[in-house]
Amino acid sequence: MRHLENGAMQHCLHTARKLRARADLTRTGAAIVRIFSDMMSTWQKPFISLHRGGLTKSFHVVKEAEGYRRGEKILDPELAQRIMEEGGRLRPIRCPRSSLVHNALKAMAQAIDLHHEAQFGFIKDRNCVEGAFLHRKAKSVLTIDILDAFEQVTEREVRYILKHILDVNRIMATMIADLTCYQGRLYQGSPLAPALFNIRSLHAAERLTRLAAANGLICTIYADDITISSDKWSYFTRSFIKTVIRILAEEGLRVNKDKIHVTHQDPRTVGLTDITGLTIDYDDNGQPFVRPIHRGKYTKKAAYLKYLYDTYGIEYSRECARDGTDKALVSVYQGLQNWSEVEKHGAQTFLFA
């Protein structure tokens, strides 16, 4: 296993140096060290005291449970246990115990500008709308989900990324990895986790892109969601899917076999393809645009939310903020507008030039 891990990390290193000059990677590492040093200089609690109480805290988020909203926080462990015993589905989440650590890790993530052209998740100036739009002419779509993606990245791999790829010195790399990992694994809820996972999967993205290009396909990756599409009907065979799984396995990444789906659609139809929570629709002139998948008769969520706000004065959405409260409807609507270049065509649509 260690031999596999070493090989995968060396491939990530070579891919990173193809994508970015060594000097650029070193500057990124220097920015991370500077952020970490500033945090330590203002941190009132020493490292050891946080270790005594735990560097992270945990809670649950509702995936599906009667009487609770999706995304709602459950802070009481006994209540979480009772909900699961009654058949509810919860997702365990960890986050830094200190807000100062949280903000520092978030700043480190924003300082990292290293990604493959096929990656669209948690990257500055890129979003899931752009990734989904590349599949606008698809007739068959293969979607694959990486199982517990962040938890598959070990603390040893995090230290390798920081030390060898970003040129952070050994002591700093060890301390930053200590803040980002829990029980030897990268944990979901760390603000730095998505950026580190993108780097960890650089070579996998390179290999999947080459495979797709060789077969005339389009491949996009949004964090742990892999989407490969074809403009032909019934393109994806069982052997092709096995090849994708094998490539990921060789890179040390396991897939969730329950979330491997192949869908087919006629491009003239509306809203059949689910690509990272989005679908491709067509306006009255036959031009494709991207919209969020949602329930309701309105095909454009932004317009629907604005309609609720303007007509009925509803101020809050059913979508939850991270602290479990309802999001302000205006913030949801404005967020949808900012996803991409917005052009007015009747109701609000997400059109690309």
Side-chain angles (χ1 to χ4, degrees):
M1 182 64 185
R2 177 166 292 186
H3 174 73
L4 173 64
E5 185 179 275
N6 288 340
M9 294 311 300
Q10 288 173 5
H11 289 313
C12 286
L13 173 62
H14 295 154
T15 305
R17 290 183 177 173
K18 287 180 183 177
L19 296 172
R20 294 287 186 275
R22 177 73 179 269
D24 293 336
L25 296 175
T26 301
R27 278 193 290 269
T28 299
I32 290 174
V33 169
R34 187 165 54 251
I35 293 167
F36 182 80
S37 300
D38 291 343
M39 180 199 72
M40 292 299 291
S41 65
T42 58
W43 205 359
Q44 300 300 320
K45 293 183 179 180
F47 232 44
I48 190 169
S49 66
L50 259 185
H51 267 295
R52 192 176 297 127
L55 288 169
T56 63
K57 58 183 178 180
S58 62
F59 56 92
H60 289 81
V61 172
V62 175
K63 293 180 68 175
E64 184 179 351
E66 186 175 354
Y68 295 90
R69 297 186 303 270
R70 181 180 178 87
E72 185 173 349
K73 271 187 178 181
I74 305 296
L75 301 177
D76 185 357
E78 294 182 359
L79 176 59
Q81 182 65 28
R82 189 160 62 250
I83 291 174
M84 288 188 286
E85 289 175 353
E86 294 173 356
R89 296 170 57 209
L90 304 178
R91 180 191 295 275
I93 298 291
R94 305 197 75 84
C95 64
R97 186 174 295 277
S98 167
S99 60
L100 189 61
V101 174
H102 183 279
N103 293 335
L105 293 176
K106 183 177 180 181
M108 292 178 198
Q110 293 172 345
I112 295 175
D113 183 22
L114 175 59
H115 60 84
H116 192 272
E117 62 179 8
Q119 293 176 324
F120 289 87
F122 306 98
I123 298 168
K124 185 179 180 180
D125 298 329
R126 306 198 100 189
N127 54 49
C128 54
V129 173
E130 295 178 61
F133 191 73
L134 294 178
H135 303 281
R136 62 191 180 276
K137 297 180 180 179
K139 292 183 180 178
S140 54
V141 178
L142 167 66
T143 54
I144 294 178
D145 179 76
I146 298 176
L147 179 65
D148 298 329
F150 294 164
E151 286 81 357
Q152 288 194 42
V153 182
T154 65
E155 187 170 353
R156 184 169 175 269
E157 290 174 334
V158 171
R159 288 198 302 269
Y160 187 99
I161 290 171
L162 293 169
K163 182 180 176 183
H164 296 282
I165 297 179
L166 300 178
D167 286 337
V168 176
N169 67 69
R170 181 178 60 83
I171 296 175
M172 290 286 192
T174 300
M175 297 177 75
I176 294 172
D178 200 21
L179 291 175
T180 312
C181 297
Y182 176 74
Q183 294 183 345
R185 299 277 175 175
L186 191 65
Y187 65 87
Q188 183 174 352
S190 168
L192 189 54
L196 292 174
F197 180 78
N198 281 341
I199 297 175
R200 171 62 181 84
S201 55
L202 278 177
H203 192 244
E206 174 70 18
R207 293 184 65 184
L208 291 177
T209 302
R210 287 203 304 261
L211 175 68
N215 289 273
L217 309 175
I218 294 174
C219 175
T220 60
I221 302 172
Y222 188 85
D224 58 346
D225 293 316
I226 299 169
T227 305
I228 304 175
S229 69
S230 170
D231 58 359
K232 299 180 176 62
W233 290 92
S234 303
Y235 182 87
F236 299 105
T237 61
R238 186 171 297 180
S239 62
F240 181 89
I241 296 173
K242 285 183 177 180
T243 300
V244 175
I245 295 174
R246 176 179 56 79
I247 289 174
L248 293 171
E250 290 173 354
E251 296 299 322
L253 300 171
R254 301 187 308 277
V255 303
N256 186 344
K257 294 186 178 180
D258 294 331
K259 290 188 177 181
I260 299 176
H261 300 292
V262 177
T263 56
H264 308 281
Q265 76 165 30
D266 185 337
R268 293 170 297 180
T269 61
V270 174
L272 295 184
T273 304
D274 181 356
I275 302 171
T276 59
L278 301 165
T279 189
I280 306 296
D281 277 354
Y282 293 81
D283 63 20
D284 296 336
N285 297 323
Q287 296 300 313
F289 64 91
V290 178
R291 70 167 175 84
I293 291 177
H294 64 95
R295 299 180 182 88
K297 63 180 181 180
Y298 288 84
T299 60
K300 302 167 185 67
K301 187 176 181 181
Y304 179 55
L305 294 180
K306 188 174 188 300
Y307 165 77
L308 292 177
Y309 182 77
D310 292 343
T311 307
Y312 299 102
I314 298 175
E315 295 183 357
Y316 294 97
S317 167
R318 293 291 291 177
E319 297 182 24
C320 285
R322 288 187 177 181
D323 60 359
T325 59
D326 289 329
K327 284 184 179 179
L329 196 65
V330 173
S331 68
V332 177
Y333 171 66
Q334 291 175 345
L336 287 169
Q337 284 186 302
N338 294 334
W339 272 5
S340 60
E341 298 178 8
V342 178
E343 177 179 330
K344 289 186 177 180
H345 180 81
Q348 291 285 349
T349 61
F350 301 96
L351 289 173
F352 284 70

